[in-house]
Amino acid sequence: MGLIGEVLLLPFAPVRGSAWVIGEVLHEAERIYYDPATIRAELGRLEERLEAGEIDEEEFDRQEDELLDRLEIGSRNRAGTDDWTSG
């Protein structure tokens, strides 16, 4: 893109910059959400809540399944990324 194109698109620079920032924030949020250490910590807190009587066995099982699904998805995503970067 030449100089004229850059000048014409200059008013959209804040939008492009905002989109980049939003993308970076989303990427970091997903990284934390699927981080195995974060999920293990949440599993530990969930077990503590069960032992303290804050939740029943059924609620524990439901939330545990959700956390284990997140762990599996995160593992698959990391494996896919590793395959992509190594190929």
Side-chain angles (χ1 to χ4, degrees):
M1 182 173 310
L3 180 61
I4 294 174
E6 288 294 322
V7 170
L8 291 174
L9 292 176
L10 193 58
F12 297 106
V15 174
R16 290 187 304 198
S18 295
W20 177 83
V21 169
I22 291 169
E24 290 298 308
V25 169
L26 179 61
H27 176 73
E28 183 64 12
E30 287 178 342
R31 187 192 65 76
I32 292 170
Y33 185 75
Y34 291 111
D35 179 46
T38 301
I39 296 170
R40 283 189 214 101
E42 289 183 36
L43 283 168
R45 285 191 297 273
L46 184 62
E47 189 170 345
E48 289 172 1
R49 291 181 63 205
L50 176 66
E51 292 171 358
E54 296 176 16
I55 59 173
D56 61 9
E57 190 74 33
E58 184 178 321
E59 181 65 15
F60 173 84
D61 289 340
R62 186 187 66 75
Q63 290 185 24
E64 181 186 42
D65 286 344
E66 289 176 9
L67 290 169
L68 293 175
D69 288 345
R70 270 176 49 194
L71 190 62
E72 182 180 340
I73 290 168
S75 296
R76 275 190 272 143
N77 288 347
R78 277 189 305 283
T81 301
D82 290 346
D83 291 344
W84 179 76
T85 56
S86 64

